[in-house]
Amino acid sequence: MNSDDTQAKPTVRLRSDGAVDEETLAYARTKIDAVVGRTGLPAVSGEVRVVRAAAHHVDRPWSATADLRVGGRQVVVTAEEATGTALVDRLQDRLRRQTDKAAQAWDDGHRTTAPPWRGGNLPPAAEDPGAA
């Protein structure tokens, strides 16, 4: 069965630095794939990095940075937490909010337009001053 509504699998790379255990990485992969693999999103690519600090006196030794391209928009999300699972949960929430915003802007066709003095289109009433 063929369908025109297919989406290529998102290509989001998951990297880790420090003493990040395999369970946390597997949990992160599941949560990230749940966010970027949703239907209705434009093509998603990029990288998520999970870091665990070596210093034991740090309040929040876990940190994550996601740098993704959602359609033509860049989404950057950061998070810091005390545990790996709390970090992944916070990262998922923030990623979902930001990818939703990027997808909505992509769907609505929100594009910044240049002002008239930079070659943008004039509003219809301003094009012909004598037409009113």
Side-chain angles (χ1 to χ4, degrees):
M1 177 178 189
N2 292 337
S3 174
D4 293 328
D5 190 30
T6 59
Q7 177 184 1
K9 185 175 180 174
T11 55
V12 176
R13 184 176 178 189
L14 179 61
R15 299 178 69 189
S16 65
D17 289 334
V20 180
D21 56 302
E22 291 298 322
E23 288 177 26
T24 303
L25 286 177
Y27 186 63
R29 173 52 65 193
T30 302
K31 294 292 189 167
I32 292 165
D33 286 347
V35 171
V36 300
R38 294 175 293 151
T39 59
L41 283 181
V44 178
S45 63
E47 177 179 282
V48 176
R49 178 173 284 188
V50 177
V51 179
R52 184 174 181 189
H56 297 289
H57 64 279
V58 179
D59 289 337
R60 295 181 181 176
W62 290 88
S63 64
T65 304
D67 185 5
L68 305 178
R69 297 291 293 177
V70 180
R73 298 176 95 57
Q74 183 176 18
V75 173
V76 178
V77 176
T78 61
E80 291 181 348
E81 282 298 327
T83 66
T85 54
L87 172 77
V88 172
D89 291 339
R90 181 169 306 251
L91 183 68
Q92 181 190 23
D93 291 341
R94 291 181 178 177
L95 270 175
R96 183 175 299 275
R97 273 196 310 270
Q98 294 300 321
T99 55
D100 285 348
K101 285 181 183 179
Q104 182 179 4
W106 180 73
D107 284 342
D108 293 346
H110 293 166
R111 306 267 192 276
T112 57
T113 57
W117 58 88
R118 292 207 175 159
N121 293 333
L122 292 173
E127 288 178 3
D128 186 10

